[in-house]
Amino acid sequence: MTNNRTFTMLKPDAVEKGNIGSILEKITASGFRIVAMKLTQLTVADAQSFYAIHKNRPFFPDLVTYMTRGPIVAAILEKDNAVEDFRTLIGATNPSEAAEGTIRNMFADSISENAVHGSDSDENAKIEGSFHFSEREMF
Ligand code: UDP
Ligand code: MG
């Protein structure tokens, strides 16, 4: 089960702009299978814990406010080489540096409001997926 699952969130800006369907279409058309999915909202404690690695960065308070301001779509995705391939599909953190045709290039507004999250390692994919889903919600 290693190396074939990743975790994503369609962030509050993507949901607010009505882009859930368009982004999911790109994800599934790129060969990812949806293993688990829900519409949910992060609490402040959830966001602080999810992004704990960034807690000393200057953007951290704004990141927590942004990520908690409305619903998100959380999902686990499966594909060979899922973590790396999904990071390629979403593009660079800063949408102005994201390659043409990537999700952040198409749907993100700024380095802070950048539409989607993608796990950065197999280990974090497992931690992040388990944060949102129980085994019985994974298909
Ligand atoms: N972020 C931000 N300002 C920055 C860098 C990051 O607001 O200068 C936000 C942005 O929403 C990003 C998240 O913090 O997606 C996590 O940052 P990371 O460097 O882990 O980027 P990612 O893995 O999401 O590409
Ligand atoms: Mg990251």
Side-chain angles (χ1 to χ4, degrees):
M1 284 302 244
T2 63
N3 222 29
N4 66 350
R5 286 186 178 186
T6 191
F7 172 76
T8 187
M9 294 184 286
L10 312 191
K11 297 181 176 185
D13 56 319
V15 175
E16 287 159 9
K17 293 196 289 183
N19 288 333
I20 295 174
S22 305
I23 294 174
L24 288 179
E25 170 58 25
K26 261 195 88 65
I27 290 171
T28 52
S30 301
F32 292 87
R33 185 179 76 82
I34 296 168
V35 172
M37 187 163 67
K38 69 171 81 165
L39 190 66
T40 184
Q41 185 163 0
L42 298 179
T43 64
V44 168
D46 289 338
Q48 285 172 338
S49 136
F50 193 92
Y51 285 111
I53 192 170
H54 297 305
K55 67 174 185 294
N56 296 320
R57 307 284 292 279
F59 60 81
F60 186 72
D62 286 346
L63 175 60
V64 171
T65 301
Y66 157 55
M67 287 302 299
T68 58
R69 76 177 184 218
I72 61 162
V73 174
I76 297 173
L77 304 172
E78 189 170 75
K79 183 184 179 297
D80 288 345
N81 202 37
V83 166
E84 191 184 342
D85 286 2
F86 193 70
R87 294 290 304 202
T88 301
L89 178 65
I90 68 178
T93 306
N94 188 343
S96 69
E97 293 163 12
E100 194 73 27
T102 59
I103 292 174
R104 282 168 167 169
N105 171 264
M106 295 173 71
F107 299 104
D109 289 330
S110 67
I111 191 169
S112 48
E113 303 212 358
N114 57 7
V116 279
H117 168 80
S119 304
D120 61 8
S121 67
D122 287 345
E123 188 192 2
N124 283 336
K126 205 165 185 356
I127 294 168
E128 293 169 1
S130 304
F131 186 88
H132 287 277
F133 299 101
S134 64
E135 284 292 330
R136 62 178 294 185
E137 295 174 302
M138 299 180 194
F139 300 91

